[in-house]
Every structure is written in structure tokens, then in C-alpha cells.
Amino acid sequence: MKYYVLFGPPGAGKGTQAGAMVTRYHLCHLSTGELLRSEISAGTALGLQAKALIEAGNLVPDEVVEGMIEAKFLNTKGVEGFLLDGFPRTLAQADALDAMLAKTGQAVTACVSLMIPDALIHERIAHRATIEGRADDARPEIVENRIKTYHAKTEPLIEFYKKAGKYQEINGVGSIEEVQERIFRTMDQY
Ligand code: AMP
């Protein structure tokens, strides 16, 4: 099984690119953000716990997302791998992922990182806010906090995957098709 980490700051285009990636490489798309938003819509206890954190632009606890991911690994059949979108987001989650996969002698295949400058993050999120209606996209101070959280807690993963020899950076600036082409060129190598 292939395990791709789809990495990048908020608004880098991870959700936009994920569809074509899962189709081409027969992957299961696992977005922790989407999984959390469906828990919130379903009104579960987990959703209630996550809602306030997400709406403030903070991360939900590591154990919560790790549990969701491991459950999906165990219950998903008939795919050639997984595309992890928005997970891991902390070094602790990256270690937990490695440990989860090591139980069955597996490992992360590659970290596919979509990079855009901070200025474009604001522009892309403002655009998405008009389309998707996400509460955490609507308020500038919340977006600011998500970007701050990304730099403080998530960006260290770049070094983590570089050290592991698994880091593949892709320029996320350009049309959807241009970026998709760059991603395919990279992922075709695995
Ligand atoms: P996303 O859809 O990936 O932008 O995620 C939306 C929000 O869900 C984030 O701002 C976090 O509050 C929460 N979230 C998603 N994935 C994670 C994760 N791996 N760890 C902690 N919180 C997460």
C-alpha cells in the first residue's frame, strides 16, 4: 500500500487537487478536516468537542485525529493506498503515523508538499469563503490564527520528511491543471 501525505498551508489547494490524485493512483482520500466537519454536522460528541477548536482556528487534540485515521486504515478495503490530506499536522502526529504503519511493516511513501506564498494563502481562502461557506474561512482573525498555527506546529514537518528522504515540494502557484501536472510528474515516480 502507498501512503502519501498531502502537505501544504491552508489554501494551498490540497482539497482541490486531491480528487484527481485519488482517481489516477486508486487511493482513498482521507481529509481529517472533512472527517471532523462531518462529525460536527452529525452532532456527535467528537464533533461537539472539535467545533469550538476548529472555529477558533486551533488544532484538535492529536489523539482525536490519530484515532480517526487509524480506524479508516483498518476499515478501508479495495484501494492501492491512502492520500492523507491535512494529516499529520504536528510532529507528534507524524510519529504516531509512522508507529501505526510500522505495526504492519509499512511506511509513508512520500510527502507531496504544495507550496504557495503567505500572500496567496489569504487570497485563496477569501475566494473559498465565497464558495464553500466554511465558518473557519469567514473571519480574517481566524484565518490568521490558522496560518500562525501552520507555521508554528505544522511547518516543522518539512524538516521531518526531508530527513526521511521523503519530501517532494511542488510549486502550488498556477492554474489547477498546471499544478496537477506537476503533482502527477512527481507521483508517477513511486
Ligand atoms: P482543513 O480542512 O484541513 O483545513 O482542517 C480544518 C480544521 O480542522 C483545522 O483548522 C483544524 O482545526 C482541524 N484539523 C484538521 N486536521 C487536523 C489535524 N491533523 N490535527 C489537528 N486538527 C486538525
Side-chain angles (χ1 to χ4, degrees), residues 14 18-20 24 40 44 54 59-60 75 83 88 91 100 109 111 121 128 134 140 152 156 163-164 169:
K14 300 189 292 291
R24 185 175 173 99
I40 293 173
T44 64
I54 292 177
L59 295 181
V60 307
N75 298 332
L83 183 65
L91 285 170
M100 250 178 244
T109 306
C111 171
I121 298 180
R128 185 169 71 192
R134 277 174 55 171
K163 272 196 195 130
E169 188 163 301

Side-chain angles (χ1 to χ4, degrees), residues 2-188:
K2 302 269 170 66
Y3 294 88
Y4 292 103
V5 171
L6 179 55
F7 185 85
K14 300 189 292 291
T16 303
Q17 295 293 345
M21 297 163 83
V22 302
T23 305
R24 185 175 173 99
Y25 303 104
H26 313 287
L27 307 171
C28 168
H29 179 206
L30 287 185
S31 156
T32 39
E34 272 172 26
L35 291 172
L36 290 165
R37 284 187 287 278
S38 36
E39 294 282 340
I40 293 173
S41 320
T44 64
L46 195 157
L48 276 177
Q49 187 197 353
K51 189 173 190 300
L53 290 165
I54 292 177
E55 290 184 357
N58 293 321
L59 295 181
V60 307
D62 290 333
E63 313 77 66
V64 171
V65 284
E66 288 161 14
M68 291 191 323
I69 289 284
E70 190 157 31
K72 289 284 179 186
F73 283 167
L74 294 172
N75 298 332
T76 308
K77 306 276 179 258
V79 293
E80 289 174 29
F82 292 87
L83 183 65
L84 303 176
D85 167 358
F87 178 89
R89 242 178 171 98
T90 62
L91 285 170
Q93 290 177 21
D95 283 332
L97 173 62
D98 282 352
M100 250 178 244
L101 296 179
K103 285 185 203 166
T104 49
Q106 302 184 89
V108 167
T109 306
C111 171
V112 178
S113 173
L114 293 185
M115 272 305 135
I116 59 167
D118 272 15
L120 199 54
I121 298 180
H122 289 94
E123 206 179 289
R124 293 250 184 107
I125 292 181
H127 176 67
R128 185 169 71 192
T130 65
I131 299 171
E132 292 183 16
R134 277 174 55 171
D136 60 344
D137 280 345
R139 302 226 315 270
E141 67 274 22
I142 310 259
V143 172
E144 222 30 76
N145 192 34
R146 280 160 60 210
I147 296 171
K148 230 174 70 196
T149 304
Y150 166 77
H151 287 306
K153 304 209 166 139
T154 307
E155 215 165 44
L157 292 177
I158 295 177
E159 271 315 302
F160 179 93
Y161 286 113
K162 272 188 184 166
K163 272 196 195 130
K166 294 183 174 172
Y167 186 73
Q168 294 282 2
E169 188 163 301
I170 284 155
N171 176 6
V173 182
S175 70
I176 293 176
E177 294 74 22
E178 280 165 350
V179 176
Q180 187 186 97
E181 183 54 39
R182 292 175 200 144
I183 294 172
F184 287 173
R185 232 181 295 139
T186 298
M187 289 178 75
D188 280 354

